[in-house]
Amino acid sequence: MVADTNVLASRACNAVREGRSEELLSGLAGTGRSNIYVSAHVSEELIEHLPVIAASNNVPVSEASEVLWNNIMPAVPVVDLAIRDYLSPRVRTMLCIDRELPRRLRGDPDDVGTTALAELLAPAVILSTDSVFTRLGFANTDAATWVGMAYGLLRMAGFEARLSDAAFLAELAARAIAVTGGAAVRAIRSHPVPAVGLLAGAAVLAARFGYLDLARWRESWHRFREAVGPWRDGLTVALEEHQAVRGAVRVIEPAGKPTVEQAAARHLARRGAALTPRELRDELSSSGYRASAAELKRGMLSHPGFSRRPGDWFELGRCATLMVDPVALTK
């Protein structure tokens, strides 16, 4: 997910106005499934435009700055772009400002960095209040609709995370059953006579205590269906909401085969963690993308959007830093 300047600044101002910490953008980042990134120009624009945006929201700029840089931006990596990231035909449409063209076809060079970053991370969603993204087909939200869309994405991410957790637990249970069943089969093969005796004894005890009574099994099944009914209905509603939100989101899809840098950036953006070139190679290989660890390392070293840590760990983006004293913003 890629955010622009006005989205970040307006949420900081909203938090000050409401008297609480910012929960929407930090919540999206906290799910681990909707990691937010910004182009390097956004952090520079925030310093320049926050006083004006704070004034328009009737909040002290010093308080908005504190929320922005201490609450929001620590969870939003800044990605520096290479010149080649601006060269795709889709991104260049944002540079077209010919006044003879209809307004719906005109771009805005100030937003080319956000567009280029979305292309680098595709598939990606742009969160913006600027109508230029809507006009050119990069997004379908504006100042009046983006907050509702973002909350929908937050609910969707939370639902997907719960499904992933449930799938992981189901996989663990299936593996445990498979291991236990395999051990039982091997034990029966190794000691058939004692095993038959144990099974016969278990069948006698089950019959004595009524566990083989069909009526009892039918009653238990009926109770189970009644117990899971509300959960099933809730799941159905959640699935319908998930599909509605997903269908309403305008996604910038990948175009063509990704370069090494794009493949690395897209995977690291979704992982939200640092990986070594070998780990990245193995994880990309499992998803069908083939590149050697050496190729991935060269690609990441040649692109300014990646940060290298000691031990040859790479991550996407860098931490945003406030380059001026917040008090100076009030002067």
Side-chain angles (χ1 to χ4, degrees):
M1 188 173 300
V2 180
D4 72 356
T5 302
N6 284 328
V7 161
L8 298 167
S10 65
R11 289 309 296 177
C13 293
N14 180 75
V16 173
R17 191 168 53 247
E18 297 294 328
R20 58 171 183 246
S21 61
E22 201 286 321
E23 60 180 17
L24 178 55
L25 298 181
S26 57
L28 282 166
T31 64
R33 305 186 67 86
S34 298
N35 300 321
I36 302 174
Y37 293 86
V38 296
S39 173
H41 80 281
V42 168
S43 58
E44 298 170 0
E45 286 186 347
L46 284 170
I47 297 172
E48 178 183 355
H49 298 307
L50 183 61
V52 176
I53 297 173
S56 67
N57 282 271
N58 295 315
V59 300
V61 64
S62 58
E63 295 182 23
S65 180
E66 182 177 356
V67 172
L68 178 65
W69 296 103
N70 294 335
N71 180 211
I72 298 176
M73 294 307 292
V76 181
V78 175
V79 180
D80 296 285
L81 296 170
I83 295 298
R84 54 185 176 273
D85 295 321
Y86 298 95
L87 300 181
S88 76
R90 268 197 305 197
V91 175
R92 287 202 299 267
T93 60
M94 189 61 73
L95 297 173
C96 186
I97 56 174
D98 189 342
R99 293 295 179 182
E100 295 184 0
L101 289 173
R103 185 172 180 273
R104 61 184 176 81
L105 298 178
R106 293 183 211 155
D108 185 348
D110 289 342
D111 294 308
V112 68
T114 297
T115 311
L117 180 57
E119 174 102 339
L120 177 67
L121 303 184
V125 174
I126 293 178
L127 282 182
S128 174
T129 64
D130 197 328
S131 63
V132 67
F133 295 105
T134 303
R135 294 201 311 268
L136 297 181
F138 294 116
N140 57 352
T141 60
D142 53 25
T145 61
W146 84 266
V147 173
M149 176 66 73
Y151 273 111
L153 291 171
L154 181 59
R155 292 191 297 272
M156 187 174 76
F159 177 67
E160 290 177 349
R162 290 194 296 273
L163 282 185
S164 295
D165 291 342
F168 177 70
L169 291 175
E171 182 181 359
L172 287 180
R175 289 182 179 180
I177 293 172
V179 170
T180 304
V185 169
R186 287 191 297 272
I188 291 172
R189 288 177 177 175
S190 301
H191 309 284
V193 176
V196 170
L198 287 173
L199 289 174
V204 171
L205 289 174
R208 178 174 297 180
F209 289 101
Y211 290 112
L212 298 182
D213 185 357
L214 291 179
R216 184 172 180 175
W217 278 97
R218 281 195 290 267
E219 182 182 356
S220 298
W221 174 246
H222 179 69
R223 290 178 178 175
F224 173 77
R225 291 183 61 184
E226 288 183 342
V228 302
W231 181 86
R232 181 192 59 210
D233 294 340
L235 178 62
T236 300
V237 172
L239 281 170
E240 291 175 350
E241 181 183 7
H242 178 272
Q243 291 300 320
V245 174
R246 180 178 288 274
V249 173
R250 178 69 58 82
V251 179
I252 296 181
E253 298 289 351
K257 182 180 178 180
T259 64
V260 169
E261 295 90 344
Q262 287 175 332
R266 291 166 185 178
H267 189 79
L268 290 174
R270 282 148 187 82
R271 281 287 261 112
L275 296 174
T276 66
R278 289 188 177 184
E279 290 174 332
L280 182 57
R281 175 202 62 195
D282 294 340
E283 294 188 12
L284 285 173
S285 177
S286 66
S287 61
Y289 187 86
R290 306 291 178 183
S292 69
E295 289 175 317
L296 291 167
K297 182 175 180 178
R298 284 196 301 271
M300 290 187 288
L301 286 174
S302 69
H303 193 288
F306 299 92
S307 296
R308 186 184 186 184
R309 293 183 180 178
D312 221 20
W313 294 83
F314 287 84
E315 63 184 349
L316 180 66
R318 55 179 170 82
C319 183
T321 54
L322 180 59
M323 305 303 293
V324 298
D325 183 350
V327 176
L329 295 175
T330 63
K331 297 179 180 180

